[in-house]
Amino acid sequence: MSIKSRTIKVNKDKSLSKIQYGKKDIWWFFQWLKVCVDLEGSSIEFNQANKNRQKSSTKHKIKITGWKEIDLKEIKSMKHHLKMSDKEMFNYLNKMFNKYIHLFGDFTIRYVKTPKDFIQDDNYFTVQIPLSKNRVEIDTELDKLKQIHKIPNIEKKRAISFYRPVKHKELNTLYQVWLRKNKDFKWQGSLKTLNNSEIARQVGYGGFRQVQLAYVSAKNLIVNLSKGIFPKNTL
């Protein structure tokens, strides 16, 4: 599966930005980032068996060292992902997409209508252009400004690049397993903590072993995400 460049409308004034990832790709990134942020400071436990079939466990403490371009404190301040309704999650994902889309694509000239539209990105410099200026004057003065203020030409580079293509179905299934292992879900008319066989029936797996493997993959995904790698579900 290859990721194709595509053009997406990013706001109501019909401006366009060329990005490398689809909207759903970026949504999944922020959905799992919310999980990771909510877990920061806690430990994720991994159970394993040695050659003598004796079980042991290891713990990975979640400490986010990547994604410095994103305001993680803002994400932390929002309702915990396990308590979000579908509508609240949708609103969160849309907000993050609109706010941070510039991190995932090629750099384009942005029209800033109000101060709140400014982005904190070293790949941009900000000027004010009088409406009376023509194109030739604008180009000439912009070149002079860059020389006077020693603004370098920086090679275009995406601030955030993914480890591999995003597989939506895979990430959705891992997320559904993660939720069901960590909160109560309806089963036979009542809310309860589901066992692996019950989770398998709800998410469409053939048996409980697939649920066990998926849960390990989800935990691996979170640990890697905390280190600035997405979406990698093996350690």
Side-chain angles (χ1 to χ4, degrees):
M1 176 181 176
S2 61
I3 299 176
K4 298 180 179 179
S5 298
R6 65 198 76 189
T7 300
I8 289 183
K9 291 180 181 178
V10 297
N11 53 36
K12 294 179 181 178
D13 63 4
K14 306 261 178 94
S15 62
L16 299 176
S17 177
K18 188 177 181 183
I19 63 173
Q20 289 296 112
Y21 305 115
K23 189 170 186 178
K24 285 182 69 175
D25 300 339
I26 298 170
W27 272 7
W28 275 118
F29 166 76
F30 279 110
Q31 190 152 341
W32 279 103
L33 184 61
K34 175 59 177 163
V35 177
C36 191
V37 169
D38 287 343
L39 290 174
E40 186 166 28
S42 62
S43 296
I44 293 182
E45 187 171 1
F46 293 83
N47 296 315
Q48 55 191 15
N50 60 25
K51 294 180 180 178
N52 299 320
R53 295 186 178 181
Q54 293 178 327
K55 291 185 177 180
S56 62
S57 65
T58 58
K59 292 183 178 181
H60 287 269
K61 189 170 183 177
I62 302 301
K63 181 180 179 181
I64 301 175
T65 56
W67 322 117
K68 299 186 185 300
E69 306 89 348
I70 296 171
D71 185 356
L72 300 179
K73 290 183 179 179
E74 179 187 16
I75 295 177
K76 183 72 172 180
S77 69
M78 297 177 183
K79 184 183 290 188
H80 196 284
H81 71 280
L82 293 177
K83 297 180 180 179
M84 278 189 177
S85 65
D86 289 343
K87 183 178 180 180
E88 288 169 332
M89 178 61 75
F90 177 81
N91 290 338
Y92 156 73
L93 295 176
N94 256 338
K95 180 178 181 179
M96 294 297 105
F97 177 82
N98 290 326
K99 183 172 182 178
Y100 293 111
I101 186 175
H102 63 281
L103 299 177
F104 298 86
D106 298 329
F107 301 112
T108 58
I109 292 175
R110 305 179 71 252
Y111 175 49
V112 179
K113 292 189 291 187
T114 65
K116 70 177 183 180
D117 295 324
F118 281 103
I119 57 174
Q120 297 299 320
D121 193 319
D122 292 338
N123 291 287
Y124 286 90
F125 72 98
T126 303
V127 298
Q128 290 181 300
I129 301 174
L131 296 176
S132 59
K133 291 287 184 181
N134 61 44
R135 175 63 183 274
V136 174
E137 291 175 314
I138 291 171
D139 289 345
T140 300
E141 293 188 21
L142 283 177
D143 283 338
K144 288 181 179 178
L145 277 173
K146 292 187 71 174
Q147 292 173 14
I148 293 170
H149 296 284
K150 298 180 180 181
I151 299 171
N153 286 321
I154 301 173
E155 182 181 354
K156 289 198 303 184
K157 182 180 179 182
R158 290 190 300 278
I160 293 179
S161 294
F162 292 157
Y163 173 80
R164 62 170 172 81
V166 176
K167 298 177 182 178
H168 304 147
K169 184 177 179 180
E170 172 192 58
L171 292 185
N172 179 57
T173 302
L174 295 186
Y175 189 73
Q176 295 307 320
V177 169
W178 170 264
L179 289 182
R180 285 162 174 77
K181 295 287 283 186
N182 289 280
K183 65 181 290 188
D184 291 343
F185 265 76
K186 184 172 288 188
W187 181 257
Q188 296 181 347
S190 60
L191 288 175
K192 59 175 289 189
T193 301
L194 305 180
N195 62 40
N196 288 339
S197 295
E198 292 165 342
I199 293 173
R201 294 189 186 97
Q202 285 201 358
V203 302
Y205 275 152
F208 69 90
R209 179 59 179 162
Q210 285 179 287
V211 173
Q212 292 175 326
L213 294 174
Y215 193 45
V216 172
S217 292
K219 290 190 284 188
N220 290 342
L221 186 73
I222 295 165
V223 171
N224 287 321
L225 187 57
S226 71
K227 299 175 181 178
I229 305 170
F230 178 84
K232 186 174 185 285
N233 57 5
T234 57
L235 294 182

